[in-house]
């Protein structure tokens, strides 16, 4: 069995969930990078520099935010690393970290619900932008984006475990 890095008092399920988050965000990022560099994953109406920068920036931002979930099970989620200016060596407030994580989970849930509604209502299907054409592109799109639906519940569960662990300690 693979050893996942975490603090000793963190429940195993929380460690696995925290490590899963960056991995479930990765496929959508790979899809966006492929789209940006011209892979035939979808048709783009206006493949300009601005859209490419946006897609790559969104990919990096999403992966960095997903990576922060690991802080809820590792030592840098309890004490800021020394290399950080002004904050290095100071304790991380459990209330603030939990609030930030649960706010993120709430925001992700809202986005997931909104985009699910748009997809089922057929809103925006004919609007300009990115379009999947054909069954293969559609299957690839869903395979890359459906895992994102697990991001919010995993983040919320790990945040609650973090709060319980930090408050009881």
């Amino acid at each position: 069995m693979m050893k996942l890095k975490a603090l000793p008092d963190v429940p195993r399920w929380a460690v696995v969930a925290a490590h899963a988050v960056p991995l479930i965000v990765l496929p959508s990022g790979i899809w966006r990078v492929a789209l940006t560099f011209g892979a035939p994953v979808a048709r783009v109406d206006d493949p300009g520099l601005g859209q490419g920068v946006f897609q790559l920036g969104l990919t990096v931002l999403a992966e960095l935010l997903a990576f922060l979930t690991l802080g809820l099970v590792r030592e840098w989620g309890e004490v800021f690393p020394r290399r950080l200016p002004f904050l290095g060596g100071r304790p991380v407030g459990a209330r603030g970290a939990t609030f930030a994580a649960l706010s993120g989970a709430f925001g992700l849930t809202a986005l997931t619900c909104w985009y699910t509604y748009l997809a089922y209502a057929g809103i925006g299907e004919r609007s300009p932008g990115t379009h999947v054409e054909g069954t293969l592109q559609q299957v690839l799109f869903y395979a890359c984006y459906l895992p994102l639906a697990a991001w919010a519940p995993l983040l919320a569960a790990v945040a609650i475990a973090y709060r319980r662990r930090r408050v009881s300690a």
Side-chain angles (χ1 to χ4, degrees), residues 73-98:
V73 299
R74 292 195 178 170
E75 56 279 350
W76 51 272
E78 294 188 5
V79 178
F80 287 106
R82 290 240 178 248
R83 65 184 172 270
L84 290 177
F86 308 112
L87 295 173
R90 293 184 180 188
V92 174
R95 182 178 291 169
T98 304

Side-chain angles (χ1 to χ4, degrees), residues 28-42 55-56 59 140:
S28 63
I30 291 171
W31 187 90
R32 283 190 300 273
V33 169
L35 181 67
T36 301
F37 289 107
V41 295
Q55 289 172 181
L56 293 177
T59 299
L140 181 62

Side-chain angles (χ1 to χ4, degrees), residues 23-29 31-32 108 112 115-116 119-120 138-154:
L23 296 175
I24 64 170
V25 174
L26 192 59
S28 63
W31 187 90
R32 283 190 300 273
L108 288 168
T112 301
Y115 284 109
T116 302
Y120 279 111
Q138 194 167 14
V139 167
L140 181 62
F141 177 79
Y142 286 130
C144 290
Y145 273 88
L146 278 178
L148 287 178
W151 188 0
L154 288 174

Side-chain angles (χ1 to χ4, degrees), residues 10-65:
V10 177
R12 175 91 176 134
W13 68 264
V15 175
V16 172
H19 282 82
V21 169
L23 296 175
I24 64 170
V25 174
L26 192 59
S28 63
I30 291 171
W31 187 90
R32 283 190 300 273
V33 169
L35 181 67
T36 301
F37 289 107
V41 295
R43 178 178 55 84
V44 180
D45 289 339
D46 184 22
L49 178 64
Q51 182 175 355
V53 169
F54 170 75
Q55 289 172 181
L56 293 177
L58 179 60
T59 299
V60 169
L61 178 65
E63 205 57 48
L64 286 174
L65 290 172

